[in-house]
Amino acid sequence: MKMRHRNLDEEEEDGSDWNEREFNGFFLIFTSLLAVVFVLGKFLHDRPRLQSALPEAGLTVIVGVAASAIIWLVAPHLYDADLVVNDPKYGSDIRDIANGLLSFSPTFFFGILIPPIIFNSGYHINKRLFFRHIKPILLYSTAGTFINIIVMAVLLNALVKADLTGEFKPHFSELLVFGSLIASTDPVAILAVFQKKRVDPQLFYLIFGESVLNDGVCLVLFDAFSMIVGGEGNFNGPVDAAWSILADFLISFTGSMCLGVASGLGVALVLKFVDMRQCRLLETSFYVLVMYLPFFAAETIRLSGIVTILFTGISAQHYAARNLSMGAQDDTDVFFRIISHIAEVAIFLELGLTVFGLGLTSFEDFCIEFFLWSLLVCLVGRACSIYPMTFLFNLSCNHTKGNQNMMDELDAEGSLAYTTLNDQTAESSDMSISYNKAHMLWFSGLRGAVSYACAKNFPDDYGNHFYFVNITMLIVLVTVFVMGGLNEPFLNFLRIETGVDEKEYMGKYKEPDNLFRILGESMIVFFAGLIFFWMLT
């Protein structure tokens, strides 16, 4: 199996040396495709039956793939057009524009498109619901993600050793990196359907919260595992490697979380002591910078920009937004939503555009045997991460319910009533996760652009970068179209409650009596997940 390159002219094109005509040509075509997607999206929204089978993300990918095919077929015939138009640079400009459109820049993805999406998620999150379910969210996104990665790497390694993956035989360290990137979930299509059908808020926020934190965990572990590839001899056995990875994760994740909260508080302090309300344009301009500044600060000091910007959004909305004028609050709210939506569409459009830019020559480039096994292992790994964590969380809820029953018996005997404890246990005992919801959590593990962007940065120490990119692309497309398209039928099959009003749902529960108690318990769950991962490794 020979290594191949992905672009039309078999060379990397990142756009860094583009002239003005190439730059304008690229963005003319790309923004035109965005406009096409928005128009087709309106027709899709007007046809609910079609929308239930074809998610909006899938439509965007289809537009990208169609444009990619046209560019791939037409562009080579224009390379020599400089003889016709009397411009010696015309052909090379066309080649550069085509290569730019058919490539996927991880730098542009992580630096420009991801921050507004994650920030907007944190900014518009329902904090009461999110933190009410923070314990299972942390269980799924930390311990569950670790289990998912390890299970996938071990199973794929066993298949490689059994000679069931054809000619493609990656090293175990590469499988750990692959597991960390493919464990990243992106349930955009599923959450869109959930919002439309007003699905049970518990399920919505479990999937939403797990996916956002899961991205941060996977990116941190992707970087940590990537350092092992090709450098296995630098560690004194697996225990030393596990400790190194755990230390990197702890520093990166907790440091990023603290930086995000500090950034939101910092902006709140500036707006409190520097009154900009009389100059709405400056006030709004300053505030929207918070969507990027903490991200780049985190990346500069080698922390996780995704985790940082998520907690920046949460803290900025809670502390800083109230220091804005009412007009600026409305302006920034709409601005964050618009930029986030455009970025989401651009990501899936880029994903589709790269399909014909991979430089494939045969089915061997997809490593079909390994791809099919990987698809199955993804489902198995996801199940191993969801169901044990659901069982453990429900076990803790049942234990709390037992405490409540004991208190009720004491009350019946005339003993001192501990009202506060009863309130807390009554709330906790009602938070158990049904297995129908667990089935939906398992099914919602779609792979998306984060996985593909990580694959573009896959270490090439053993010459397998090209193949992992192709395999990841196939897995992303299959999960987006197949699982995304079957989302609504599966939701109906499981008889998940829909048409739930969030305000009525939250009206049944009291506000937390002690926020610090909840955060403390959540951190205990978080570190327990880390210890469990260390025991596994």
Side-chain angles (χ1 to χ4, degrees), residues 1-4 358-368 466-471 474:
M1 299 175 71
K2 298 183 293 182
M3 280 300 298
R4 308 196 61 82
L358 292 171
L360 304 173
T361 58
S362 69
F363 280 109
E364 287 186 5
D365 293 336
F366 281 119
C367 307
I368 296 300
F466 173 74
Y467 301 106
F468 277 112
V469 170
N470 297 341
I471 293 164
L474 277 181

Side-chain angles (χ1 to χ4, degrees), residues 83-388:
L83 301 177
V84 179
V85 298
N86 241 355
D87 186 344
K89 294 189 65 180
Y90 183 83
S92 63
D93 288 350
I94 293 293
R95 180 186 297 109
D96 291 341
I97 292 172
N99 286 335
L101 288 167
L102 299 185
S103 64
F104 187 103
S105 170
T107 303
F108 181 75
F109 172 81
F110 285 115
I112 304 299
L113 298 179
I114 274 291
I117 296 174
I118 302 299
F119 178 85
N120 184 68
S121 298
Y123 195 80
H124 290 105
I125 199 171
N126 186 321
K127 292 185 291 297
R128 289 180 64 196
L129 280 169
F130 180 77
F131 285 105
R132 182 171 188 272
H133 301 295
I134 191 65
K135 296 176 188 177
I137 287 172
L138 284 174
L139 272 176
Y140 290 133
S141 60
T142 54
T145 300
F146 291 140
I147 293 172
N148 193 356
I149 293 170
I150 298 301
V151 167
M152 286 193 291
V154 170
L155 290 179
L156 286 174
N157 189 58
L159 292 167
V160 170
K161 297 294 184 184
D163 201 24
L164 295 174
T165 58
E167 298 180 19
F168 187 56
K169 300 185 183 301
H171 289 68
F172 181 67
S173 57
E174 291 181 297
L175 295 176
L176 286 171
V177 178
F178 178 66
S180 63
L181 72 87
I182 212 66
S184 174
T185 60
D186 187 12
V188 173
I190 285 181
L191 292 177
V193 173
F194 280 11
Q195 284 182 319
K196 178 184 175 184
K197 296 182 74 70
R198 295 194 298 169
V199 169
D200 183 342
Q202 182 193 36
L203 178 61
F204 181 91
Y205 276 91
L206 285 176
I207 293 176
F208 170 77
E210 187 252 346
S211 68
V212 173
L213 292 180
N214 160 277
D215 284 345
V217 171
C218 286
L219 285 172
V220 172
L221 290 175
F222 175 83
D223 291 337
F225 286 131
S226 295
M227 295 172 62
I228 299 177
V229 177
E232 290 89 343
N234 298 330
F235 299 96
N236 299 320
V239 175
D240 183 40
W243 273 114
S244 176
I245 293 168
L246 183 60
D248 287 343
F249 176 79
L250 277 173
I251 294 171
S252 182
F253 195 89
T254 55
S256 302
M257 185 168 57
C258 293
L259 178 60
V261 174
S263 299
L265 290 172
V267 172
L269 287 173
V270 171
L271 290 173
K272 183 176 178 64
F273 292 107
V274 181
D275 190 356
M276 296 184 178
R277 299 185 185 190
Q278 304 306 317
C279 192
R280 185 168 161 183
L281 181 62
L282 288 178
E283 179 187 28
T284 304
S285 301
F286 170 77
Y287 192 59
V288 297
L289 291 178
V290 75
M291 189 167 56
Y292 280 102
L293 279 176
F295 179 89
F296 291 123
E299 293 294 325
T300 301
I301 58 178
R302 302 189 66 81
L303 295 177
S304 171
I306 284 185
V307 177
T308 298
I309 207 66
L310 170 67
F311 283 94
T312 299
I314 294 174
S315 59
Q317 198 281 331
H318 188 71
Y319 296 108
R322 64 186 65 185
N323 292 332
L324 294 171
S325 63
M326 292 302 297
Q329 288 185 37
D330 294 337
D331 293 343
T332 53
D333 182 86
V334 173
F335 179 81
F336 292 147
R337 291 180 189 272
I338 292 174
I339 295 300
S340 173
H341 181 68
I342 292 175
E344 283 183 1
V345 173
I347 285 172
F348 283 100
L349 183 60
E350 281 240 15
L351 197 62
L353 281 168
T354 58
V355 170
F356 281 85
L358 292 171
L360 304 173
T361 58
S362 69
F363 280 109
E364 287 186 5
D365 293 336
F366 281 119
C367 307
I368 296 300
E369 298 96 333
F370 187 85
F371 156 69
L372 292 174
W373 282 118
S374 297
L375 203 56
L376 177 62
V377 166
C378 281
L379 298 176
V380 174
R382 178 75 178 169
C384 292
S385 69
I386 293 296
Y387 294 110

